[in-house]
Amino acid sequence: MSELSLNMQSHEEKQLFARSFALWIALGAILMMFAGLTSAYIVKKADSGTWTNFTIPGIFYISTLVIILSSVTMFGAQRAFRKGWMAGYRNLLLATLALGALFLALQIEGWMQLKAQGIDMVEEISGAFFYVISGAHAAHILGGIVILLIMILKISRRIKKQNTEAYLTSARKLNVTLMASYWHFIGFLWVYIFLFLLYNHN
Amino acid sequence: MSDVNTTMEHTHAEAHDHAHEAHHENFFTKYLFTMDHKMIAKQFLITGIFWAIIGAFFSVVFRLQLGFPDADLSWLAPVMGRWLTPDGALDPNFYNALITMHGTLLVFFVLTAGLSGTFANFLIPLQIGARDMASPMMNMLSYWFFFLASVIMFVSLFIPDGPAQGGWTAYPPLSYLLGHGMTLWLLSLTFFVASTVLGGLNYITTILNMRTKGMSMFKMPLTIWALFFTAVIGLLSFPVLVAGFILLIFDRSLGTSFYLSDLVVNGQFLDKGTGSPILYEHLFWFLGHPEVYIVILPAMGIVSEVLSVNSKKPVFGYRAMVFSILAITILSFLVWAHHMFVSGMNPFVGSIFVLFTLLIAVPSAIKVFNWIATIWRGNIRLNPQTMYAIGFVSMFISGGLTGIFLGNSTIDIQLHDTYFIVAHFHIVMGVAAFFGMFAGIHHWFPKMFGRYMNRSMAYMHFWVTLIGAYLIFWPMHYMGMAGVPRRYYTFDAFDAFSQFAGMNVFITVVVMIVFAFQILWVANFFYSIFKGRKVKESNPWGATTLEWTTPVNPGHGNWPGEIPEVYRWPYDYNKNGHEFIPQTVPMEEGELEHEETPAPEKVS
Ligand code: HEM
Ligand SMILES: [Cu+2]
C-alpha cells in the first residue's frame, strides 16, 4: 500500500467515526423542533380562556408501552448482531418493525377516539396542538420504519449467502448502532411527548 | 440514515478517485452531481450570485416606485409584465411581493446559503487539513436541497397571483390570507432549512472530527471558528422555524387556528376562534434573530483572516475573538423579543430582553476593537480584499451603534417599523455581510479558480459601494426618526412625509448607480474566472494557513501527497524576522508560542 492510500485510509476512518457524531447532532436538531412545538403549546395554554380541556384516550397508554417494548426488541437485535447471530438479529428487527407499525396503528386509533370526543383540529386549539405534535412524532416513526425495512432487506439477502464473518465490517456495525440509536431516540421522544401532554393537557 | 451503506460504498469508490485524480469524471459528475467540497462551494457561490442579482434588481424596481411614484414604468413591461398596471405604475400588491422577495432572497438565499454555503464548504476541509467533508454525500444533498428551494422560489415569481407578499417575516394573519405564492414560499423555505441543517451537520462534524495531525482547536483559523458557531446557531434555531412553519401551514391549509383569532377582512367576518399571531412572532424571531448572526459571523471570520494576512500582523486577541463569538452565539438566543417590543409584552419581560440585547454590544465591541488593533501599525497592503474588510468594519460599527438605540425598548417603541430599522439592518447586516463576502471572494479567488480578479474594477466597485451605501441608508435614519413607516407603497397621501420626497428621489438615484457597479463586479467575477491573470505561486498572499500549501489548482482530495501536519497557530506573522511562518513549519528549538511571554532575564 502506498503512502497515499494509507493516508486515505485514515481519512475514511475519521469519516466513519464522524458519522455517528453527525447522527447525534441531527437528533439535537429534531429535538429543537419539538422544543419549539411544545414551547408554543405552553405559551398558548397560558393564554387563559381559550383552552378546552379533554381526556387523553387510554389507548395512548398502550401505544406508549408498545413503543417502549420495541426499544427492548431493538436492544436484543443489537446484541444478536454483535454476537454474530444473524438470524436472531433479523427476527428481532422484524419484531421491532411489527411493534413500530402497531404503534402507528394505535396512534391513529387514538386520534379517532379523540375526535369522537368532540376534540377536533379546527375547533379546538388544544386538540390541534395534540394532533400536530403527536403527528409530527408519528412522521419520525414512519421514517424509522423505512430504515428498519432497508436494514431487514439487507440482512435477509446476506443470511442466504452465509458468510457472516466477512459481513461484520466496522462500517456495518456502525450502521446498526446508528439505526438503533435513532429508534431508541424516537421512542424516548414519544415518552417525553406523552408525559408532556399528560401533564399539560388540562 | 437510509443511505448509510451506499454512502460508505461511495467513499470507497472515492478514495480510489483521489488516488488517480479525476479519472472517470464526466461533465455531470464533475460539475453537477459532484461531491468535491470545492465544486459544491462554487455551486453555492454561483447560485448565490444569481439570486443576488435578482434580489438587487427587485430593490431597484421598488426604489423607482418610492422615488418616482408617478413615473411610467411601461418600459419595464418585458420583464415585469403583469406586475404593472395598464398605465405603467407598479401594482401595489406586487410592490409587496418585491420587498418580500428582496428580503427573503437576500437574507436566506444569498447571505445564508450563498455566504456560509460557499465558505464553509470551501474553507473547512482546506483549512483544517482534510481531504473532504465528513460526508460528501450529505454535502451534495445540501446543495441540491438548496437548488430545489431555489427552483420553487423561482417558479413562484411566475404564477398568476404572484409570489409571496407577506414580508420576509411572513407574519400571520397577513400570511394566512395570501395565495399560492405564500404556499410556495413556505415549501421553498422548508427545503431551504433541510439544506441548511444538512450542511450544518456536516460542517460541525467535519471540524470536530476531520482535523489533521497537530490541528488542535486553538490552532484553527478564525474563519473556521466563525463557521463552526454559525453552524451551531443554525442547527439550534432553524428547526424551531420549521415548527413555526408547520403550524402556519396547518392554519393555511387545514383549517386550524394556531395563529388566527376572529378577523374582519374586507368587511367580511372570518370566524377563526382563539389563536394568537404573537405565537408566530415568538417562533419566527427565535430563529430570526440568530439568523442575523448566521449571516454576519462568517463575514466576521473572513474579515479577521483577511486583515491579519494583509497587515502581516497576528490577529489581536485571538482567544478573545473566539470567546466573543461564543458569547454572541449564546446571547443570540436570548434576545429575540427585541423585535416584539410593541407586541404588548409585559414591560418587565421586555426589560430583560433589553438587558441581554445591550449585552451583545460587549462581545461585538471587543471584536471591533481587535480588528482595529490588528491593522494598527501593520504593514498594510491595501489590496481589494483588505479594502472590503475595512469597509466591513466601518459598516459594522455604524450599524451596531444604531442597534444600541433600538435595543432600548423605550426608544424602539417610537422607531419600530420605520425606516430607522431599514437603515440599521441594511448597514449592520446587509452591506457589512456583503463586504465580508467580497473580501472572502477576492482573497480566495486564486484558490478557487487559479486566477486573480481584476483589481481596478474592484477598487471602483468598492468605493462606489461604500459611499453609495452610506448615501442610501444614512438619510433613512432621519426619515425613521420622523416616523416614516417601512413597507409602504407610497407616501403621497401623507402630508407629514412630503418633506422627504426629494430625499427619496436622491436615494433612488444612488441605488441605481450602486446597482450598476454591482453588475460591474459580477462581470469582473465571471470575466476573471475565464480570463483573469493566472496564479503562478501557490501562496500568493503570503498566508500561513493550510489551503495555501495545496497546488495552485488542488484536485479532488486537496493534497496530492500526504496531508500536511500542523505545528503552530495560524497567525505567526512578523515573527523572529519572518514575514510569515506557515502552520506546517515546525517550531524551532527554543521558539516561543505566540502566547508565551519570554522568561524574565536572570538578574545577577
Ligand atoms: C449592537 C448590537 C445590536 C443591537 C442592540 C440590535 C438591536 C436591534 C433591535 C432592537 C431591532 C428591532 C427593531 C424593531 O424592529 O423595532 C433590530 C432589528 C434588526 N437587526 Fe439589529 N441589533 C444589533 C446588531 C445587529 C446585527 C449585528 C445584525 C445583523 C448582522 C442585526 C440585524 C437586524 C435586522 C435584520 C433587524 C430587522 C429585522 C426586521 O424587522 O426585518 N442587528 N436590531
Ligand atoms: Cu435581533
Side-chain angles (χ1 to χ4, degrees):
Chain A
M1 217 181 254
S2 69
E3 286 282 324
L4 178 65
S5 43
L6 269 177
N7 210 327
M8 313 300 316
Q9 202 60 40
S10 77
H11 173 72
E12 279 176 3
E13 271 164 20
K14 283 184 191 168
Q15 278 188 327
L16 206 58
F17 182 77
R19 192 125 36 91
S20 66
F21 195 86
L23 179 76
W24 286 105
I25 307 177
L27 298 185
I30 295 177
L31 210 56
M32 279 312 288
M33 190 182 91
F34 282 95
L37 288 172
T38 48
S39 322
Y41 184 105
I42 291 174
V43 170
K44 186 64 204 131
K45 186 161 175 272
D47 224 1
S48 57
T50 61
W51 199 264
T52 313
N53 292 341
F54 58 93
T55 34
I56 293 182
I59 199 157
F60 285 109
Y61 292 88
I62 304 178
S63 72
T64 307
L65 274 181
V66 167
I67 203 72
I68 293 175
L69 207 60
S70 80
S71 248
V72 175
T73 53
M74 180 57 98
F75 270 122
Q78 275 175 285
R79 281 197 55 170
F81 183 84
R82 238 175 283 136
K83 289 189 178 152
W85 181 35
M86 289 304 146
Y89 166 66
R90 185 199 48 193
N91 294 343
L92 282 160
L93 278 192
L94 281 170
T96 313
L97 180 78
L99 288 168
L102 179 62
F103 172 81
L104 282 185
L106 290 171
Q107 296 295 88
I108 293 170
E109 174 59 24
W111 293 328
M112 312 257 263
Q113 291 186 6
L114 196 60
K115 188 152 192 246
Q117 262 186 52
I119 299 296
D120 88 343
M121 196 161 79
V122 175
E123 295 299 326
E124 302 299 346
I125 197 160
S126 53
F129 267 115
F130 191 99
Y131 293 117
V132 168
I133 295 178
S134 54
H137 173 264
H140 286 80
I141 294 280
L142 206 60
I145 286 182
V146 172
I147 295 166
L148 277 177
L149 273 174
I150 292 171
M151 297 299 270
I152 290 171
L153 283 181
K154 281 194 167 154
I155 192 64
S156 308
R157 256 188 303 167
R158 187 51 67 153
I159 284 178
K160 287 191 200 113
K161 291 192 191 152
Q162 300 267 335
N163 54 346
T164 38
E165 280 304 301
Y167 185 68
L168 284 174
T169 62
S170 51
R172 292 209 173 85
K173 283 183 190 150
L174 181 72
N175 285 346
V176 172
T177 314
L178 294 184
M179 164 190 67
S181 309
Y182 179 73
W183 190 262
H184 296 315
F185 171 79
I186 50 178
F188 283 104
L189 184 62
W190 172 252
V191 175
Y192 157 72
I193 291 173
F194 184 62
L195 291 177
F196 174 88
L197 293 171
L198 211 53
Y199 284 106
N200 291 300
H201 73 287
N202 277 337
Chain B
M1 272 289 296
S2 57
D3 52 36
V4 268
N5 262 337
T6 41
T7 329
M8 199 49 217
E9 274 142 33
H10 252 106
T11 30
H12 273 287
E14 243 166 48
H16 240 71
D17 250 38
H18 299 290
H20 359 231
E21 254 330 298
H23 227 89
H24 22 257
E25 285 199 328
N26 57 34
F27 178 81
F28 287 98
T29 54
K30 180 145 186 237
Y31 294 109
L32 287 180
F33 298 101
T34 174
M35 295 203 209
D36 181 356
H37 70 100
K38 298 184 292 300
M39 188 57 77
I40 294 175
K42 292 177 202 171
Q43 293 176 331
F44 270 107
L45 179 56
I46 288 171
T47 316
I49 289 176
F50 169 79
W51 281 121
I53 297 170
I54 294 192
F57 171 71
F58 285 176
S59 75
V60 174
V61 179
F62 66 66
R63 273 315 312 183
L64 279 174
Q65 162 64 26
L66 292 172
F68 308 96
D70 305 320
D72 182 356
L73 298 181
S74 37
W75 55 276
L76 274 173
V79 250
M80 307 300 292
R82 280 189 321 278
W83 301 29
L84 302 171
T85 58
D87 49 345
L90 191 66
D91 183 310
N93 286 323
F94 285 118
Y95 176 86
N96 290 343
L98 287 174
I99 58 163
T100 302
M101 284 297 122
H102 170 77
T104 306
L105 293 176
L106 282 146
V107 172
F108 290 118
F109 286 37
V110 181
L111 292 178
T112 303
L115 183 57
S116 279
T118 303
F119 288 102
N121 273 306
F122 194 75
L123 293 180
I124 290 174
L126 280 171
Q127 287 197 329
I128 65 170
R131 299 228 178 258
D132 205 318
M133 286 286 176
S135 169
M137 177 65 153
M138 246 158 59
N139 215 22
M140 181 182 84
L141 281 178
S142 162
Y143 176 74
W144 284 103
F145 272 120
F146 172 47
F147 187 79
L148 193 59
S150 294
V151 169
I152 295 171
M153 199 60 93
F154 194 72
V155 167
S156 86
L157 299 176
F158 299 97
I159 61 173
D161 51 351
Q165 298 155 17
W168 78 279
T169 52
Y171 280 6
L174 178 58
S175 56
Y176 162 73
L177 296 166
L178 295 169
H180 298 113
M182 195 66 220
T183 308
L184 292 178
W185 188 92
L186 286 167
L187 191 64
S188 168
L189 279 193
T190 305
F191 282 116
F192 182 86
V193 173
S195 155
T196 317
V197 167
L198 282 175
L201 272 178
N202 225 344
Y203 307 151
I204 296 177
T205 314
T206 307
I207 292 171
L208 292 181
N209 295 295
M210 310 288 290
R211 300 191 308 273
T212 183
K213 205 164 161 210
M215 179 68 83
S216 62
M217 292 296 272
F218 280 101
K219 288 198 171 63
M220 299 194 312
L222 286 174
T223 34
I224 301 299
W225 276 109
L227 292 164
F228 176 74
F229 282 113
T230 306
V232 171
I233 299 178
L235 277 170
L236 292 175
S237 60
F238 270 111
V240 178
L241 181 72
V242 171
F245 281 175
I246 290 177
L247 302 186
L248 185 56
I249 291 170
F250 268 76
D251 275 4
R252 285 174 49 81
S253 310
L254 295 162
T256 55
S257 42
F258 290 107
Y259 302 138
L260 306 167
S261 46
D262 293 343
L263 277 177
V264 177
V265 182
N266 293 337
Q268 283 234 312
F269 181 70
L270 298 182
D271 179 15
K272 269 299 171 188
T274 55
S276 152
I278 310 267
L279 200 57
Y280 177 86
E281 295 188 23
H282 281 297
L283 290 170
F284 182 85
W285 286 112
F286 188 84
L287 158 95
H289 184 83
E291 167 64 23
V292 307
Y293 285 97
I294 292 175
V295 166
I296 207 74
L297 287 183
M300 288 178 161
I302 290 169
V303 164
S304 304
E305 180 74 15
V306 166
L307 287 181
S308 176
V309 173
N310 289 296
S311 53
K312 288 285 167 278
K313 272 185 65 193
V315 158
F316 187 90
Y318 171 83
R319 273 175 197 258
M321 288 298 226
V322 174
F323 286 110
S324 302
I325 304 179
L326 174 66
I328 289 176
T329 301
I330 296 169
L331 285 172
S332 73
F333 285 102
L334 303 173
V335 301
W336 78 90
H338 67 210
H339 297 272
M340 303 166 57
F341 284 140
V342 297
S343 68
M345 77 171 72
N346 179 326
F348 175 71
V349 177
S351 67
I352 294 173
F353 282 102
V354 170
L355 176 69
F356 284 128
T357 301
L358 296 183
L359 273 181
I360 285 208
V362 176
S364 310
I366 293 176
K367 295 197 69 89
V368 169
F369 177 83
N370 288 355
W371 287 317
I372 295 174
T374 300
I375 55 177
W376 184 254
R377 302 201 164 180
N379 183 11
I380 308 179
R381 282 180 308 191
L382 288 177
N383 50 21
Q385 59 264 43
T386 315
M387 304 293 276
Y388 287 120
I390 295 173
F392 168 94
V393 177
S394 161
M395 286 290 161
F396 189 72
I397 295 174
S398 310
L401 288 176
T402 54
I404 297 175
F405 285 72
L406 296 173
N408 292 282
S409 52
T410 39
I411 303 178
D412 182 68
I413 288 168
Q414 158 77 10
L415 293 175
H416 178 68
D417 259 353
T418 67
Y419 268 81
F420 195 94
I421 311 298
V422 177
H424 161 65
F425 73 76
H426 277 91
I427 290 182
V428 76
M429 179 177 82
V431 183
F434 259 105
F435 274 153
M437 193 164 168
F438 289 133
I441 293 173
H442 279 264
H443 190 72
W444 282 288
F445 197 86
K447 188 90 287 174
M448 286 186 182
F449 299 101
R451 292 176 188 269
Y452 295 99
M453 285 183 71
N454 180 299
R455 279 186 169 217
S456 324
M457 284 202 259
Y459 286 127
M460 282 193 280
H461 168 259
F462 168 76
W463 284 110
V464 173
T465 310
L466 182 83
I467 297 170
Y470 275 121
L471 291 180
I472 292 167
F473 296 114
W474 202 261
M476 290 186 187
H477 291 110
Y478 301 101
M479 296 170 64
M481 284 189 266
V484 181
R486 66 193 278 209
R487 293 176 168 159
Y488 271 38
Y489 166 68
T490 172
F491 296 102
D492 285 352
F494 304 92
D495 291 337
F497 305 141
S498 57
Q499 51 169 324
F500 292 114
M503 187 55 82
N504 271 329
V505 172
F506 172 76
I507 292 176
T508 299
V509 171
V510 181
V511 165
M512 289 192 285
I513 297 171
V514 171
F515 179 71
F517 277 80
Q518 305 313 305
I519 299 299
L520 175 76
W521 185 88
V522 173
N524 183 0
F525 178 83
F526 284 107
Y527 174 84
S528 304
I529 290 180
F530 300 106
K531 292 274 153 68
R533 187 161 57 86
K534 278 210 166 126
V535 177
K536 299 258 162 47
E537 62 224 300
S538 65
N539 187 2
W541 314 122
T544 58
T545 40
L546 288 183
E547 74 273 29
W548 306 106
T549 62
T550 60
V552 172
N553 288 305
H556 201 164
N558 297 340
W559 287 269
E562 272 191 77
I563 302 183
E565 197 176 329
V566 162
Y567 300 95
R568 54 178 75 235
W569 82 322
Y571 299 106
D572 267 342
Y573 291 103
N574 231 328
K575 188 180 186 190
N576 301 342
H578 299 283
E579 232 194 356
F580 66 97
I581 312 176
Q583 286 190 279
T584 50
V585 176
M587 299 292 280
E588 273 167 42
E589 189 84 36
E591 186 183 347
L592 293 177
E593 291 245 9
H594 55 104
E595 271 161 349
E596 295 169 323
T597 37
E601 277 179 38
K602 269 237 174 81
V603 200
S604 56

